[in-house]
Amino acid sequence: MHGKNPMLTGQKIVLSLLARAGRALSPTVFVKLMFLLRQETALRDDPAFYDFVPYQFGPFSFTLYRELGGLRQAGWVAADDSQIALAAGGWAGVRAQIESLPEHVQAAVGQILSRYGRMEPEALIRDVYARYPWYATRSGRSDLLPNPLPGPNQAPPAVYTAGYEGKSVDAFLNDLLKNGIQVVIDVRANPVSRKYGFSGVRLGEICKKLGLEYRHEPSLGIPSAERVGLGGFASYQRLLERYERVTLPARSADVHRVGQLMRQKASVLLCVERDVRCCHRSRLANAVAKATGMEVIHL
């Protein structure tokens, strides 16, 4: 039985792709076609569409697979390790969902299927790897890799910071990988998030799959109780000044430990805010830089 929750636009696009393909797709082909929708159609400019990271079989989206799971649970899609297809029956409901998509999105799906939908799987994979080699850098299909393949990015020693506000977990981690980051140091006091992929446990799981080390340093965060009532820029600055003046000196051993790690491996201080001026990671980064002599780089 179909769920009652409103369907996300990305999920409707999944249904459109499967319906217009007219057959079950292997997971590898399915993901490649969704990736090409992102890269080669008007959906490249849609911030709500799926982002991708280099993974075991090339480009992959953890967010896409989560939403595919929602479609399967609601009875729209039948999916397993070997194939993904529309569930039997319910075509009228699928058609209604597809028809609610804007015309340019429906055209984009048709464009990708017309160009790539009948390619043999290995030919499709080889083509994607050749034209988007970054996304092939972690693939296990060595027989299909382009030559030369880009080497891993190397980040020079520095105190890196990043905020994930406004980004999917796939886009955020893809940026870190591109910058040569090896360790994610989560400096939120309480690593919870309503946004998929950014709770501490789930973020640690995804990082591990991508070969990134995840560490949580709650002592270097700011407790939620101290954030109550924050409004404009000035209130954030007062909070951060207190953090710099009171909290960091009391956590000097933790600052030193993080600094030692950042000397050894390319590491990033992770928190939420897009604007680093309103995030405690800016003050923490300055303290680590002072302890290590490294420069601060906000990604």
Side-chain angles (χ1 to χ4, degrees):
M1 180 176 293
H2 296 155
K4 296 182 179 180
N5 293 330
M7 190 177 292
L8 300 170
T9 298
Q11 292 177 313
K12 295 179 183 179
I13 294 172
V14 168
L15 295 184
S16 179
L17 182 75
L18 294 174
R20 296 186 68 159
R23 68 188 194 283
L25 301 175
S26 72
T28 300
V29 168
F30 167 74
V31 173
K32 298 297 180 294
L33 294 175
M34 293 295 289
F35 171 75
L36 291 166
L37 272 168
R38 167 53 114 179
Q39 297 296 322
E40 300 183 4
T41 74
L43 288 168
R44 71 171 65 88
D45 301 318
D46 185 345
F49 196 57
Y50 304 108
D51 300 295
F52 292 80
V53 292
Y55 194 42
Q56 295 171 342
F57 296 100
F60 185 78
S61 173
F62 290 94
T63 306
L64 167 60
Y65 252 67
R66 177 179 185 263
E67 294 183 2
L68 179 67
L71 289 172
R72 180 172 52 189
Q73 187 174 15
W76 293 100
V77 165
D80 57 32
D81 291 341
S82 63
Q83 64 178 24
I84 299 169
L86 293 178
W91 170 244
V94 170
R95 183 170 57 190
Q97 295 291 346
I98 294 171
E99 289 177 350
S100 70
L101 288 168
E103 288 187 11
H104 77 277
V105 175
Q106 296 186 49
V109 173
Q111 172 189 334
I112 290 302
L113 284 170
S114 175
R115 188 176 303 168
Y116 303 106
R118 292 297 171 182
M119 290 179 69
E120 291 296 322
E122 289 201 349
L124 177 61
I125 296 168
R126 193 186 300 276
D127 178 67
V128 169
Y129 285 6
R131 294 187 298 115
Y132 303 97
W134 162 251
Y135 292 96
T137 53
R138 292 170 180 265
S139 173
R141 289 299 307 267
S142 58
D143 55 321
L144 299 177
L145 295 178
N147 187 16
L149 185 69
N153 293 333
Q154 301 291 331
V159 181
Y160 296 96
T161 89
Y164 64 78
E165 184 180 14
K167 293 183 177 182
S168 69
V169 69
D170 302 287
F172 181 75
L173 293 178
N174 190 49
D175 287 345
L176 297 189
L177 291 170
K178 283 186 173 180
N179 280 285
I181 296 299
Q182 298 172 285
V183 183
V184 175
I185 304 174
D186 190 340
V187 294
R188 294 173 293 175
N190 190 13
V192 297
S193 177
R194 293 182 180 180
K195 190 166 187 177
Y196 169 71
F198 289 108
S199 67
V201 171
R202 184 54 55 87
L203 182 58
E205 292 171 349
I206 297 175
C207 282
K208 184 177 181 180
K209 291 178 179 180
L210 294 174
L212 293 168
E213 184 179 344
Y214 172 82
R215 296 195 180 196
H216 182 215
E217 294 286 348
S219 66
L220 294 173
I222 297 179
S224 300
E226 296 184 25
R227 296 176 175 273
V228 175
L230 286 177
F233 184 79
S235 65
Y236 274 93
Q237 298 314 300
R238 287 192 293 271
L239 174 67
L240 299 186
E241 286 163 9
R242 184 180 184 281
Y243 173 78
E244 187 174 37
R245 185 179 68 254
V246 177
T247 303
L248 286 178
R251 300 286 185 268
S252 59
D254 298 330
V255 171
H256 178 76
R257 184 180 67 256
V258 166
Q260 290 300 107
L261 174 60
M262 299 189 94
R263 280 182 177 277
Q264 297 164 7
K265 299 180 180 179
S267 308
V268 65
L269 303 175
L270 170 146
C271 201
V272 182
E273 288 83 3
R274 177 189 294 109
D275 187 348
V276 70
R277 299 173 303 167
C278 294
C279 181
H280 76 287
R281 71 180 188 276
S282 61
R283 308 299 177 102
L284 173 58
N286 291 338
V288 174
K290 184 176 180 180
T292 61
M294 296 190 294
E295 68 171 322
V296 175
I297 298 178
H298 300 298
L299 300 177

